């Protein structure tokens, strides 16, 4: 520990410790600093060290320790109040609220002592002249805790009626408490309205909106406002994740996961905070935490996951069912201690109700990776007695109905019928259809069963269906890779069925089945031959034979209508192979529409998806979007998870491409969810999350985007997704972190992305990322590191011939030099380099537009040079300003105004800004007349541009108003100031 030799060193050490993460290490340092303060023999030093200790205890898991330093502070106040300065006097009264709340959280402190303390607080506040608002708020907390609703409502009303003063909690904290009470009483809408200013960022503090976001989750779920609940979880958990003192809010997020089908994410949250299971310095938040642990474990057990290993208290392994029992026991034991202290059963009732909550959303996708865990096989259970046997005849009739109408689950129905019948009482026809459908379920492995089905059909007296079964067998041979064998096999079957049909020995349905199988096989061969002209012609002829046979003769037969639709789509497939994409798109659309018209929309999905790809290739974004929406609509519940994920992801890209980031984010969210369900989290899911993060970023939803992008990054690899996707994700994440004020982390992401981009042939992205990293490092208070990043970017901008990037990197380095060893001289040299680089680029510009942009850049550079010199002139607060530097600064600013003037009205606001800066410098140099003239010239400049400003956009008009106001203020200061 650094030796604390004086009061200033102590204060610096306490300030440094305040900035450390919450937890035992910070608390221990505060205890050391109190010991050091006592050695200084300065009463105020001890007072400040006690206040610091009390504060860090309060914002940690060791809240119970704060009573001792507070009691000592109160005794010192009573004995020698003159030792307390104004700030410490205010702080002493302020922490009365912390202590009263802290007593409620400790069940060993008697209720009578808490009530006595409440009276003491009221008495001392009255003596100090403070409003009773904070007292009534504390009384409300006591009444609500013990379950005295009538007293709580009276205190609540008195709390709101009392005047706000310096002892009242900040607006954000007050609104949290008021909203909590409304939600507790079942008034969720009122609670959310109270919380709205905090959620929207109007009010904030060290722990808000952290707790409001957490408290809002269940009310939002109860109101069905699921999108807001999802957003608040992602935003809020990011805020509380690293704050040890916020176990109660953390518990709210675990509860949210348990109530929304996100049990796997709930387990991840528990694993992140193992100490929360056992930290006992704050029993009330431990009660909250163990209650939601029990809730989550019960949910897992209900899903058949009771045997799954889960995170729990250290020292042993836990299954979900074991942890459920342990957590419930701990929670109820803690609740019983509170109730024994309070003389009511209220705390236990609340804990039991919380643990008994049922899910409020079966599945609420969050966008972050979190796959629902699969059930763990447990010991075999005794068979459940069967009370009634299925009726084989009824199952057979249902299976036949489903297959005749081409329902999606027909194959499963035939399997159920076969299992129920078990071969008993079946005629050859029944057995033929069962074997036929079993073969269909096996795909290429079902070839042998198709032959068996054919024999049974023949035995049943249906030679046409026997030929159709053999033709289906030939087609699966083609699917297995034996295309030539399939072509040979189907040729004879085709001749036989046509002859049989001509002799009226079979029907249209059976004949069409064989002809369609032949068309499918020949189309397969066209694919195998890479669109050979002869193969294409033969396949097209075969498909048109199907149409010639069936089209116009389908009647009410859904199977025949499906043949027509499939034939149209197959012709589209062949057109695509031939390179005629427009015709292919038209035929796919026609085939899909025919399936929908036949009442078979789920068959249209494949062709609508193909149509979407073709339309995208042809640049028809409207048709692409229409086809994708149709595919999702027509697929309905029949779409399997991988297909649904891909369709949503494609639609997200299309919708996002036309600028609707909100809807695009919804589709990317669905894509991520279905990719996880399909077991493709690391591949398709990572793509979807990457896109979702980008769309959230475009909406300014920085915290949500950061959570999603951080979730995507571990799965994104150069091998699978390409290094461009990795760089883009790091880039976006850096942007989010920068907006969230996490500048050091933003710099790390940007530097990681730059390191990948440095190996690319085109170096513009590398330069941009290095430049952005410089910005983040500067904002993180790391000027030397920032300078290195800007220097790297500057070298790249120079090599790329990008004068704007080079000039801006030099200007940034100049400003940084004021904070590093280089100092003002290095800053001046860098800014001069920026001016020269800009002038050189201006003089060699290839066109007038580029030249004018560089002239504007030069104007800004002169302006910044002047600003830098002026700040250097002020120097140390104890020294006199350097007039020579002011003169030099004025020269640069005047030059800036002249440069902007050369650009005419387009640079009016920049010119007048430079003029006003010059006027302020002239005032510093005691040239009042010159400064007044400049201010009046600015006002005159806008008098001649009223029409331009009035007709301009909001930004332009606002800039004009700002300049006028600045000029008027400068003029007022100059004319009112005495000589």
């Amino acid at each position: 520990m650094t030796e604390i030799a004086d009061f200033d060193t102590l204060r610096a050490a306490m300030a440094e410790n305040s900035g450390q993460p919450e937890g035992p290490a910070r608390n221990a340092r505060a205890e050391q600093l109190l010991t050091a303060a006592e050695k200084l023999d300065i009463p105020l030093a001890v007072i400040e060290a006690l206040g610091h200790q009390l504060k860090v205890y309060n914002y940690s898991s060791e809240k119970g320790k704060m009573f001792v330093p507070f009691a000592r502070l109160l005794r010192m106040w009573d004995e020698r109040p003159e030792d307390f300065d104004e700030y410490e006097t205010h702080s002493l009264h302020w922490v009365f609220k912390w202590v009263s709340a802290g007593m409620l959280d400790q069940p060993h402190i008697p209720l009578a002592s808490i009530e006595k303390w409440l009276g003491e607080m009221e008495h001392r506040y009255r003596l100090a002249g403070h409003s009773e608002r904070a007292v009534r708020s504390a009384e409300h907390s006591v009444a609500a805790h013990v379950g005295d609703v009538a007293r709580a409502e009276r205190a609540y009303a008195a709390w709101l009626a009392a005047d706000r003063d310096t002892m009242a909690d900040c607006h954000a904290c007050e609104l949290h408490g008021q909203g909590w009470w409304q939600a507790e009483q079942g008034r969720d809408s009122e609670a959310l309205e109270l919380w709205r200013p905090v959620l929207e960022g109007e009010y904030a503090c060290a722990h808000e909106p952290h707790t409001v976001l957490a408290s809002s989750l269940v009310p939002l779920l109860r109101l069905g406002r699921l999108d807001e609940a999802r957003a608040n979880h992602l935003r809020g958990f990011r805020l509380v994740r690293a704050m040890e003192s916020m176990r109660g809010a953390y518990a709210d997020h675990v509860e949210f996961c348990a109530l929304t089908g996100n049990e796997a994410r709930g387990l991840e949250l528990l694993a992140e905070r193992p100490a929360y299971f056992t930290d006992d310095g704050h029993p009330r938040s431990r009660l909250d935490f163990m209650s939601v642990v029990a809730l989550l474990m019960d949910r897992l057990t209900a899903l058949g996951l009771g045997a799954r290993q889960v995170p729990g208290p250290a020292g042993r392994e836990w299954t979900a069912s074991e942890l459920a029992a342990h957590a419930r026991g701990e929670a109820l034991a803690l609740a019983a201690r509170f109730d024994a202290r309070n003389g009511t059963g209220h705390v236990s009732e609340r804990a039991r109700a919380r643990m008994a909550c049922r899910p409020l959303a079966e599945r609420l996708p969050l966008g972050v990776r979190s796959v629902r865990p699969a059930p763990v096989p447990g010991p075999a259970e005794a068979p459940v007695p069967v009370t009634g046997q299925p009726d084989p005849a009824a199952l057979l009739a249902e299976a036949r109905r489903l297959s005749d109408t081409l329902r999606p689950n027909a194959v499963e129905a035939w399997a159920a019928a076969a299992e129920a019948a078990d071969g008993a009482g079946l005629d050859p026809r029944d057995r033929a259809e069962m074997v036929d459908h079993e073969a269909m379920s096996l795909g290429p492995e079902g070839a042998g069963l198709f032959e068996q089905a054919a024999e049974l059909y023949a035995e049943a007296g249906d030679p046409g269906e026997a030929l159709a079964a053999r033709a289906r067998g030939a087609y699966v041979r083609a699917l297995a890779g034996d295309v030539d064998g399939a072509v040979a096999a189907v040729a004879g079957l085709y001749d036989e069925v046509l002859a049989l049909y001509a002799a009226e020995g079979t029907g249209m349905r059976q004949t069409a089945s064989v002809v369609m199988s032949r068309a499918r096989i020949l189309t397969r061969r066209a694919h195998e031959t890479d669109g050979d002209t002869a193969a294409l012609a033969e396949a097209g002829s075969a498909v048109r034979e199907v149409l010639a046979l069936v089209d116009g003769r389908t009647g009410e037969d859904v199977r025949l209508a499906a043949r027509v639709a499939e034939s149209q789509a197959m012709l589209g497939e062949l057109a695509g192979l031939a390179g005629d994409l427009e015709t292919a798109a038209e035929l796919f659309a026609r085939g899909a529409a025919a399936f929908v018209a036949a009442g078979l929309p789920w068959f249209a999905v494949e062709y609508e998806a193909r149509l979407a790809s073709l339309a995208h290739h042809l640049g028809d974004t409207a048709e692409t979007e229409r086809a994708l929406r149709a595919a999702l609509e027509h697929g309905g519940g029949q779409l399997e998870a991988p297909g649904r994920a891909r369709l949503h992801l494609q639609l997200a890209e299309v919708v996002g491409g036309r600028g609707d980031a909100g809807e695009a984010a919804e589709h990317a969210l669905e894509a991520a969810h279905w990719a996880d369900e399909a077991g493709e989290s690391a591949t398709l899911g990572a793509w979807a999350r990457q896109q979702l993060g980008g769309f959230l970023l475009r909406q300014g939803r920085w915290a949500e985007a950061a959570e999603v992008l951080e979730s995507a990054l571990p799965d994104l690899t150069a091998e699978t997704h390409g290094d461009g996707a990795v760089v883009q994700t790091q880039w976006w994440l850096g942007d989010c972190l920068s907006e969230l004020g996490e500048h050091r982390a933003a710099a790390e992401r940007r530097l990681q992305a730059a390191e990948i981009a440095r190996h690319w042939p085109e170096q513009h992205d590398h330069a941009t990322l290095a430049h952005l990293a410089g910005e983040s490092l500067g904002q993180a208070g790391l000027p030397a590191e920032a300078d290195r990043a800007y220097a790297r970017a500057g070298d790249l901008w120079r090599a790329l011939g990008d004068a704007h990037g080079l000039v801006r990197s030099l200007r940034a380095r100049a400003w940084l030099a004021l904070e590093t060893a280089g100092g003002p001289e290095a800053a001046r040299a860098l800014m001069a380099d920026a001016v020269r680089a800009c002038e050189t680029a201006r003089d060699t510009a290839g066109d007038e537009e580029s030249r004018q942009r560089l002239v504007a850049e030069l104007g800004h550079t002169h302006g910044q040079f002047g600003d830098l010199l002026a700040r250097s002139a002020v120097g140390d607060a104890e020294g006199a300003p350097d007039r020579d530097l002011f003169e030099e600064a004025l020269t640069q600013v005047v030059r800036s105004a002249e440069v902007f003037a050369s650009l005419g009205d387009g640079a009016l606001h920049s010119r007048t800004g430079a003029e006003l800066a010059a006027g302020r410098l002239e005032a510093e140099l005691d040239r009042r007349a010159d400064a007044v003239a400049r201010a009046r010239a600015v006002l005159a400049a806008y008098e001649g541009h009223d029409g331009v400003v009035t007709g301009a956009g909001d930004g332009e008009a606002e800039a004009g108003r700002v300049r006028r106001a600045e000029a008027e203020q400068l003029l007022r200061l100059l004319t009112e100031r005495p000589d």
Side-chain angles (χ1 to χ4, degrees):
M1 183 177 80
T2 304
E3 184 67 28
I4 305 297
D6 54 54
F7 202 171
D8 288 340
T9 307
L10 174 69
R11 283 174 165 165
M14 289 190 293
E16 180 184 5
N17 195 44
S18 293
Q20 298 302 307
E22 296 176 351
R26 187 170 75 157
N27 295 351
R29 177 62 171 155
E31 292 161 4
Q32 293 172 342
L33 292 174
L34 175 59
T35 300
E38 290 169 337
K39 294 177 181 178
L40 296 178
D41 197 26
I42 301 173
L44 185 58
V46 175
I47 291 167
E48 290 187 15
L50 284 167
H52 173 66
Q53 189 181 81
L54 197 156
K55 179 179 179 180
V56 299
Y57 283 156
N58 185 59
Y59 292 114
S60 78
S61 61
E62 299 179 304
K63 291 177 185 284
K65 289 186 175 182
M66 68 179 174
F67 302 117
V68 173
F70 181 74
R72 185 175 172 186
L73 274 172
L74 195 59
R75 185 171 64 253
M76 292 176 72
W77 168 263
D78 288 339
E79 292 172 355
R80 290 181 56 85
E82 64 272 16
D83 289 341
F84 288 70
D85 62 14
E86 182 180 356
Y87 178 81
E88 292 303 328
T89 300
H90 177 274
S91 296
L92 176 70
H93 287 82
W94 181 268
V95 296
F96 263 93
K97 300 179 295 183
W98 293 359
V99 174
S100 62
M103 287 180 172
L104 276 180
D105 298 337
Q106 304 290 334
H108 69 277
I109 298 178
L111 187 62
S113 297
I114 297 171
E115 294 285 6
K116 180 180 178 182
W117 183 258
L118 189 62
E120 178 75 8
M121 177 181 175
E122 183 172 10
H123 171 69
R124 289 180 179 265
Y125 272 39
R126 188 180 299 115
L127 288 177
H130 296 308
S131 163
E132 67 172 12
R133 189 177 181 93
V135 178
R136 298 285 76 84
S137 173
E139 181 189 5
H140 172 263
S141 297
V142 173
H145 174 66
V146 303
D148 188 342
V149 176
R151 183 187 178 192
E153 290 284 22
R154 290 194 301 273
Y156 183 87
W159 170 17
L160 268 62
D163 293 335
R164 276 189 58 83
D165 66 352
T166 57
M167 282 298 113
D169 283 341
C170 75
H171 282 290
C173 288
E174 280 209 329
L175 290 172
H176 174 250
Q178 292 161 14
W180 175 86
W181 178 244
Q182 297 298 329
E184 187 76 2
Q185 298 306 302
R187 300 186 284 263
D188 291 333
S189 295
E190 291 86 340
L192 288 161
E193 182 57 30
L194 281 165
W195 289 330
R196 182 184 53 75
V198 183
L199 293 173
E200 293 179 357
E202 185 178 342
Y203 300 121
C205 68
H207 279 190
E208 294 297 352
H210 313 44
T211 56
V212 164
L213 286 163
S215 297
S216 72
L217 297 173
V218 170
L220 284 168
L221 291 174
R222 287 195 294 242
L223 292 171
R225 292 160 61 174
L226 303 186
D227 290 342
E228 294 172 72
R230 175 196 301 112
N232 286 5
H233 169 63
L234 293 177
R235 286 176 59 201
F237 181 67
R238 186 173 190 84
L239 292 172
V240 304
R241 173 184 274 141
M243 301 183 73
E244 187 205 39
S245 65
M246 302 201 73
R247 180 164 54 181
Y250 201 98
D252 291 340
H253 288 280
V254 176
E255 178 182 39
F256 167 84
C257 293
L259 298 178
T260 57
N262 286 288
E263 297 84 7
R265 180 166 171 83
L267 293 176
E268 293 170 5
L269 268 57
L270 297 187
E272 284 192 31
R273 278 290 184 182
Y276 277 174
F277 287 99
T278 52
D279 282 348
D280 57 4
H282 191 244
R284 193 171 181 182
S285 69
R286 185 162 182 260
L287 165 59
D288 290 335
F289 185 75
M290 298 308 284
S291 296
V292 300
V293 169
L295 171 67
L296 177 60
M297 295 305 122
D298 283 347
R299 179 64 183 152
L300 288 168
T301 303
L303 292 171
L305 298 164
R308 179 187 174 88
Q309 189 170 327
V310 295
R316 56 161 289 186
E317 293 184 349
W318 296 88
T319 65
S321 57
E322 290 168 344
L323 185 56
H326 171 78
R328 178 174 288 99
E330 291 287 304
L332 291 176
L334 281 166
R337 289 176 59 198
F338 279 107
D339 284 340
R341 186 270 303 275
N342 299 339
T344 68
H346 180 66
V347 175
S348 294
E349 290 170 8
R350 288 188 77 251
R352 287 194 176 91
R354 193 171 197 180
M355 290 187 284
C357 281
R358 307 302 303 160
L360 295 170
E362 183 59 30
R363 185 68 161 140
L364 178 59
L366 303 178
V368 293
R369 183 178 183 181
S370 189
V371 184
R372 181 175 293 188
V376 177
E381 297 182 359
V384 179
V386 178
T387 56
Q389 295 295 331
D391 179 1
L395 290 174
L396 186 61
E398 176 64 7
R400 194 162 281 137
R401 182 189 70 80
L402 293 174
S403 60
D404 283 346
T405 54
L406 295 178
R407 298 299 102 174
N409 52 344
V411 170
E412 292 79 6
W414 278 106
E419 183 180 1
D422 196 21
L426 297 177
D427 60 29
R429 176 73 190 198
D430 297 336
R431 286 187 286 124
E433 291 184 84
M434 288 178 179
V435 174
D436 198 3
H437 284 86
E438 183 183 355
M440 293 177 196
S441 72
L442 295 174
E445 286 75 38
L449 287 176
F450 278 122
E451 181 58 34
Q452 182 181 337
E455 292 171 359
L456 288 167
Y457 280 126
E459 183 182 344
D462 192 340
E465 201 61 64
L467 291 171
R470 289 191 172 97
R472 286 190 283 275
Y475 178 54
V476 299
R477 284 179 65 182
L479 292 178
D482 184 10
V483 178
D484 291 339
V487 170
V490 83
L493 300 171
Y494 168 73
D495 292 337
E496 285 185 59
V497 82
L498 289 182
L500 192 63
Y501 181 63
E504 298 184 358
T506 191
M508 172 74 75
R509 179 186 287 186
Q510 292 78 11
T511 306
S513 181
V514 175
V515 176
M516 176 57 82
S517 291
R518 175 173 176 265
R520 289 171 176 167
I521 292 168
L522 292 172
T523 298
R524 184 78 179 177
R525 184 167 69 176
H527 277 282
E528 294 286 327
T529 59
D530 292 326
D532 174 77
T533 303
L536 283 171
E538 187 177 10
S541 176
V543 175
R544 281 187 284 274
E545 281 190 52
V546 179
L547 286 171
L549 176 69
V550 178
D551 201 10
R553 303 183 183 89
T554 60
E556 299 297 318
D557 193 327
V558 171
R559 286 180 179 242
L560 294 179
R563 302 295 185 204
V564 174
E566 185 180 355
S567 296
Q568 297 282 6
M570 287 172 70
L571 288 173
E573 190 175 339
L574 293 169
L577 278 173
D580 187 354
L581 302 186
E582 289 84 357
T583 300
E586 179 184 343
L587 288 166
F588 278 141
R590 194 181 301 171
F595 274 123
V596 174
L600 304 169
W602 46 89
F603 284 117
V605 173
E606 175 187 352
Y607 303 108
E608 286 162 337
R610 292 192 189 185
L611 171 58
S613 295
L614 281 175
H616 178 71
H617 183 78
L618 293 168
D620 188 345
T621 55
E623 178 63 4
T624 304
E625 183 175 342
R626 187 207 63 77
L628 289 169
R629 291 188 188 279
L632 283 167
E633 176 189 351
H634 294 147
Q638 307 305 322
L639 261 179
E640 294 186 353
R644 190 181 297 275
R646 285 174 172 78
L647 288 171
H648 274 296
L649 186 54
Q650 288 175 275
L651 191 52
E653 292 170 354
V654 172
V655 172
R658 63 169 168 77
D660 190 342
E663 186 185 351
E666 294 173 9
H667 288 294
L669 176 67
E670 288 294 318
H673 165 67
W674 290 110
D676 289 344
E677 291 292 301
E680 297 186 24
S681 293
T683 51
L684 184 61
W687 272 119
R689 272 180 273 281
Q690 195 246 16
Q691 290 295 301
L692 173 58
F695 293 131
L696 291 170
L697 179 147
R698 281 166 57 179
Q699 297 173 72
R701 296 161 66 176
W702 316 113
E704 296 168 67
E707 282 290 301
V708 171
L709 292 168
E710 286 174 344
S711 176
L713 262 177
D715 291 326
L716 288 168
T717 64
E719 295 75 20
T720 302
H721 306 91
D723 55 7
V726 179
V727 167
Q728 182 64 82
T729 306
Q730 296 275 26
W731 193 328
W732 281 339
L733 183 52
D735 291 347
C736 292
L737 295 171
S738 179
E739 292 289 344
L740 293 169
E742 300 176 36
H743 299 299
R744 187 185 290 263
E748 290 174 3
R749 295 301 184 182
R750 288 167 166 174
L751 288 171
Q752 288 166 3
E755 189 60 27
I756 299 172
R758 72 182 299 173
H759 302 292
W760 293 354
E762 207 290 314
Q763 289 288 284
H764 189 273
D765 286 342
H766 181 197
T768 304
L769 286 162
H771 199 111
L772 290 171
E775 288 183 8
S776 294
L777 289 164
Q779 290 171 313
L782 300 168
E785 292 85 346
D787 181 72
R788 287 195 293 271
Y790 277 125
R792 173 181 174 184
D795 290 342
L796 291 164
W797 292 130
R798 184 178 283 107
L800 288 165
D802 190 321
H804 295 280
L806 172 60
V807 169
R808 290 170 187 176
S809 66
L810 288 168
R811 292 196 312 236
R813 293 183 64 198
W815 285 108
L816 287 167
L818 293 179
E819 306 175 45
T820 60
E825 287 307 313
R828 179 200 294 264
L830 285 162
M831 200 65 83
D833 286 346
V835 170
R836 284 191 294 272
C838 209
E839 288 174 337
T840 300
R842 174 202 60 190
D843 295 340
T844 57
D847 56 75
E848 183 58 23
E849 181 181 351
S850 298
R851 195 192 73 81
Q852 293 217 357
R853 286 181 60 231
L854 287 161
V855 169
E857 195 76 79
L858 180 60
H860 290 300
T861 305
H862 279 299
Q864 286 201 31
F865 202 167
D867 192 11
L868 182 143
L869 291 167
R871 294 194 190 186
S872 302
V874 173
D876 194 313
E878 297 178 1
D882 188 327
R883 288 185 61 86
D884 290 341
L885 280 177
F886 270 130
E887 291 283 5
E888 194 176 349
L890 178 59
T891 299
Q892 290 290 339
V893 174
V894 169
R895 180 63 182 137
S896 173
E898 292 169 350
V899 170
F900 284 127
S902 72
L903 294 173
D905 288 346
L908 173 64
H909 304 314
S910 297
R911 176 174 69 80
T912 53
E915 293 280 6
L916 289 169
R920 285 188 284 268
L921 286 168
E922 287 166 336
E924 289 287 345
L925 291 165
D926 297 324
R927 298 176 190 169
R928 187 182 306 184
D930 293 342
V932 168
R934 286 196 190 274
R936 286 176 174 160
V938 168
L939 291 173
Y942 283 105
E943 287 176 8
H945 290 269
D946 281 344
V948 175
V949 174
T950 303
D954 290 343
E956 284 290 300
E958 178 60 23
R961 285 191 290 272
V962 168
R963 289 288 181 266
R964 288 171 189 251
E966 289 175 345
E968 288 167 352
Q969 180 185 36
L970 178 59
L971 195 58
R972 188 164 51 252
L973 289 171
L974 291 167
T975 54
E976 292 177 359
R977 191 174 69 183
D979 292 331

